[in-house]
Amino acid sequence: MNYDTFVDQVARRTRASSTHAVDLTRATLETLAERLTGGEVLDLAAQLPAPLQLALKPGAGAEAADRFGAAEFVARVSRRAGIDESSARDAVRAVFTTVREAIAGGEFDEVVTRLPRDYRDMVEPALAPGTALRGR
């Protein structure tokens, strides 16, 4: 999937403008990069269009994942995108679904099954059929 198609899909799913969809995508991917290990981030980023890879760059010392729950994930996306938390939760679902469609194989499913149970309502709509979110 190319960058424009990715943004169009997020815009359609969130009923937002393309410009706002870019902001929502960036906020979600930056937050996801904080939640994953450096290796997981690089594996995921390698499969996305180049402009999206920039948002998924692991920070210094990011080999260990920052362990925060779904509520904090949504709060961080909300702050980054300048939207309320309900809208941020919807945006995260839309971006996760689009990421899953954009990458090959089960890479996305592999990443999200490592997330704790409280991520379930944001992640499961994006999972491939038959992929269960393991409890942590």
Side-chain angles (χ1 to χ4, degrees):
M1 178 181 300
N2 68 35
Y3 177 73
D4 291 334
T5 301
F6 190 102
V7 170
D8 288 346
Q9 289 295 327
V10 172
R12 184 183 59 77
R13 288 184 167 114
T14 58
R15 300 176 198 254
S17 69
S18 292
T19 301
H20 192 57
V22 168
D23 294 339
L24 298 173
T25 299
R26 179 194 44 78
T28 301
L29 293 179
E30 286 176 358
T31 304
L32 184 60
E34 293 171 345
R35 185 61 181 79
L36 301 175
T37 66
E40 292 167 337
V41 170
L42 292 174
D43 288 346
L44 188 58
Q47 297 185 52
L48 292 173
L52 299 178
Q53 292 175 7
L54 298 175
L56 274 172
K57 291 291 183 200
E63 196 46 45
D66 189 359
R67 303 280 178 203
F68 52 86
E72 178 61 20
F73 192 102
V74 169
R76 290 181 188 200
V77 171
S78 171
R79 284 191 299 274
R80 282 187 166 115
I83 57 175
D84 64 70
E85 290 191 8
S86 176
S87 298
R89 184 173 296 276
D90 292 341
V92 169
R93 283 187 196 112
V95 172
F96 281 176
T97 299
T98 308
V99 167
R100 186 184 177 285
E101 292 172 354
I103 63 177
E107 178 67 31
F108 182 76
D109 295 347
E110 219 175 277
V111 168
V112 299
T113 56
R114 295 183 189 135
L115 298 173
R117 281 183 104 61
D118 66 338
Y119 281 75
R120 180 173 309 252
D121 76 314
M122 293 186 305
V123 170
E124 283 192 342
L127 289 173
T131 304
L133 186 62
R134 291 181 287 226
R136 287 190 167 208

